[in-house]
Amino acid sequence: MGVAFDSISFKASLCDGCGDCMTACSEAKSGASRISIVPGAKAGGYEAALCRQCGDPKCAQVCPSGALDKDGGNGVIGWDAAKCVDCLLCTAGCVYGGIAVDPNVSRVAKCDQCDGDPACVKVCPTGALEFRKAGSIFNEYGAKEDLFVPGLSGCQGCNSELIMRHAMRKIGRNSVLATPPGCIPGMGSVGYNGKTGTKVPVFHPLLTNTASMLSGIRRYYDRIGRKDIVVMALAGDGGTADCGFHAVSGAAERGEKVLYVCVDNEGYMNTGMQRSGTTPYGSWTSTTPVGEHMKGKTQDAKNLPLIMTAHKCRYVATASTGYMEDLYEKLDRAIEASFEGFSYLHIYSPCPTGWRIPSNKVIDACRMSVDSNFNPLWEYTNTTGLRFTHSPDNAYPITEYVKMIGKYRHLSPDQLAHIQAKVDEQVALLKLMAAESSPPPAAHRAPAGASTPAGAESSQPARREIARN
Amino acid sequence: MNQLPTTTGKVIVCDGNEAAAWGACLSRPDMVAVYPITPQSSLVEYLAEFIADGRMDADLMDVEGEHTVLSVLHGAVLAGARTYSATSAQGLAFMFEPYFRTPGLRLPMVVSLVTRDAVSPTCVWGGQQDAMTVKEVGWIHMYCETQQEILDTIPIAYKVAEHPDVMLPVNVNHDGNYLSYGVARVELPPQSVVDAFLGEKQVNWHACLDPERPMAVDPLTGGAGGIGPSMFVKYRKGICAGMQDALRVIEEAHEDWGKRTGRYWSPLIEEYRMEDAEVALVTIGSMTGAAKDAVDTAREAGRKIGLVKIKTFRPFPAARIAQALSKVKAIGVVDRSVNFGWNCGPVFQEVLAAMYAQPVRIPMMSFIGGLAGADITVEHFATVVERTFRLAGGETAAGPVWLNEND
């Protein structure tokens, strides 16, 4: 497989032109900023000129002295000051404006990603700049063993299969895996007629007793001193939020050392797309149909991860395959926590079949579900409390999310307003919990100069209003 | 048949629940999962106390319900643990989903059923409706008559469950209220005797969850085509074979226990004064004591009557029962529960089926007593004796006779 690298990404829609990144860069590098925020093509919009660390860098190609070279280890295009003849051809060769000239010294100023901790990203108050580590993580994961057999019979584009394969790559062979009835065993993880679909010890608990069986396994392994085995579930939302909830709640209350991953596709998708306790309000399902008298589910979803925080679990987090690096980091923490107590990871998993999404749009839907705050990403520990791992500010309006998904096609303006209100309410509650438990984020410094857009100084909710319009 | 206890062990005075807890303690389970329910509650309290005091080296799992009790034990057995628990009535009903899959997974474990009538109408007292309702699931069921038999049968049950020819879960049943709270003299066999009797535990050699021996446990089996249905049939036949082999293994285990402790309990059925009996009673559980007294009284009056007590109800020792009852003129079967669709007691129906293989038809009558914790008294048994003799004399059977209908 190819090699991928970490990179700084820029999301123009989130940039308010404050210029904090430029200030931070010039401070960090004691010279001219290597990133420039410039007015965009759209009125009021912004673009960034920054080094993309191209795979086929034109700057290096035009360099007559060999001063620019792509590092095979981290992918950063390095600049050798000793070799540079100061011709500035590279600045002309780069179509992205990724190499700046430092007028003070008349030499090039080249982004080096600050050794993996870019100063510009750290100060960006809107999340427009992000250091994306997914690339190198994928390299690492590609080298790990896939612990499921090829040819699992998931639907085309199945997000749960992606979660299973990637999660088990991370967890490894020293584990015991439970896959209760649902899509995950349905696609063959436990196997058929005596054949297995998984390379680790795997079993089919009842829909109702996953956390209980895992408790028994883990207690006995602890008793005989085999404490390093990850005892874990890859369970659906029905077996977690509904009929299996007593077991989950009981195991959490007892602090059983279990890693419980709930793959939430918001319904009983394996058996024909029926509603579950986590099916959101308004969703079409085969048991909450759309007709003359009924327009989808009439109740809100239960917020299972939030309920789990009330159990004082060792670790609780929400994750999405739209943000894999975040998921990987949370898996690391969840595994570690599972040796100490109950560890609960809730992964949102759009179902192309049951939700009526084209299979090539699943990851887009994952991402938008987070970006619209429909499924905010956060984590909780019983010592540090709750913190967001992805900013809940500057969210897209909920309409941007629901319009991607067929099960919401029928929604009326009233229903949409209900969903938006519930999303806002939930984010407000999470923010309250986050504020109670961790230091507030650094104050957003007022933007300076003519590039300040109207409204940039206003409060966070106002910013959200702008984003929605 | 029940010899006086030898004096090799410590003698205590305890109720049936404590006797069961001692039986479990002496069998050294690694894991005990508990959830209280009347009339079993004091049993799990004893277990918790034993573990708290360090008398019992087991991991105590206090869980949120019987469904989880059995589920955690499933996990523990698959990881290699010897396990124990106990339940009753509604608890057993709530446990049913994992209960049903225990024999299918061939998990050798022992669970005491402190038998009780099942709601509705609401009733928390003794009866055998709970245990009789789950008789077809694939668990071995053994019913005890006395506190000492409860204690002794639990180690015997482990020996049977873990036998490679059996590999099935065992319910050791004792009557709620009557035995659970009734106090008697009980001898505790020395730990060394029980250890030598049980030997190394054999729990998960056939199916396990262990990263060092990775396997898929319980893959989806069946469906149309391929080897699916035939494989499913193989599993079902395997359980049937294990049940039939258990008849022999239960006898061997009782014999072995008798040699080591001096207490030879009847493993499948006990025949009491059946040598020349013209009429026979069939009993199960704690009622047997009163029935034996009634038999003795009738014998003193010169009436030729005997009794067959059923200890092992699953597997049903049909051949032994038919053999024991083949020469009598009438049979009275006393149940402590109801078979609703047959208008009789469940034990009656089983004995009826076993007797069908005999060349002659013997008249039989169903008696139902002891419901809702009622005592089955010697007076009740006098009625049973009388009606059974009248049956032998040619009176037509009209059953069932509800013994405590007017109590």
Side-chain angles (χ1 to χ4, degrees), chain A residues 159 162-163 319-324 327 347-350 362-363 366:
Chain A
N159 192 56
L162 187 151
I163 291 169
S320 163
T321 50
Y323 290 90
M324 287 301 281
L327 169 57
I347 310 180
Y348 300 108
S349 187
V362 169
I363 300 301
C366 286

Side-chain angles (χ1 to χ4, degrees), chain A residues 238-300:
Chain A
T240 306
D242 299 337
C243 59
F245 183 67
H246 72 101
V248 175
S249 176
E253 181 257 330
R254 296 190 303 272
E256 303 288 355
K257 297 171 190 171
V258 165
L259 169 56
Y260 196 102
V261 180
C262 174
V263 179
D264 181 8
N265 58 17
E266 298 179 353
Y268 293 81
M269 293 304 166
N270 151 259
T271 50
M273 306 156 224
Q274 300 93 351
R275 65 90 87 182
S276 83
T278 68
T279 302
Y281 171 87
S283 301
W284 167 88
T285 70
S286 59
T287 52
T288 56
V290 175
E292 207 42 43
H293 300 290
M294 193 175 169
K295 307 278 183 207
K297 194 187 178 201
T298 52
Q299 307 87 14
D300 293 304

Side-chain angles (χ1 to χ4, degrees), chain A residues 21-34:
Chain A
C21 53
M22 296 167 67
T23 313
C25 182
S26 56
E27 277 171 10
K29 298 301 174 191
S30 310
S33 173
R34 295 157 191 205

Side-chain angles (χ1 to χ4, degrees), chain A residues 174 190-194 196 199 201-204 206 208-209 212-213 216-217 219-221 223 226 246-247 250 254 256, chain B residues 57 59-64 67-68 71-72 75 79-81 97 101 201 209-210 215-217 219-222 228:
Chain A
N174 199 26
V190 188
Y192 293 102
N193 292 328
T196 178
K199 299 177 192 171
V202 63
F203 68 103
H204 210 153
L206 300 165
T208 47
N209 76 352
S212 312
M213 273 188 83
I217 295 167
R219 282 280 192 104
Y220 185 66
Y221 276 138
R223 183 177 165 83
R226 295 179 65 181
H246 72 101
R254 296 190 303 272
E256 303 288 355
Chain B
D57 175 25
D59 204 329
L60 177 71
M61 294 199 65
D62 281 299
V63 299
E64 78 283 359
H67 188 282
T68 285
S71 299
V72 297
E97 199 191 8
R101 86 188 297 226
K201 72 181 177 221
L209 290 166
D210 184 346
M215 67 170 76
V217 173
L220 201 56
T221 307

Side-chain angles (χ1 to χ4, degrees), chain B residues 94 135 191 212 299 313:
Chain B
F94 185 38
K135 64 185 186 293
Q191 183 69 58
E212 285 179 9
R299 281 273 179 183
F313 188 65

Side-chain angles (χ1 to χ4, degrees), chain B residues 78-114:
Chain B
L78 286 166
R82 182 180 279 167
T83 64
Y84 176 75
S85 191
T87 192
S88 287
Q90 305 317 115
L92 177 62
F94 185 38
M95 189 187 272
F96 188 67
E97 199 191 8
Y99 186 84
F100 202 102
R101 86 188 297 226
T102 317
L105 283 169
R106 305 300 292 268
L107 301 182
M109 53 167 66
V110 175
V111 173
S112 284
L113 293 186
V114 186

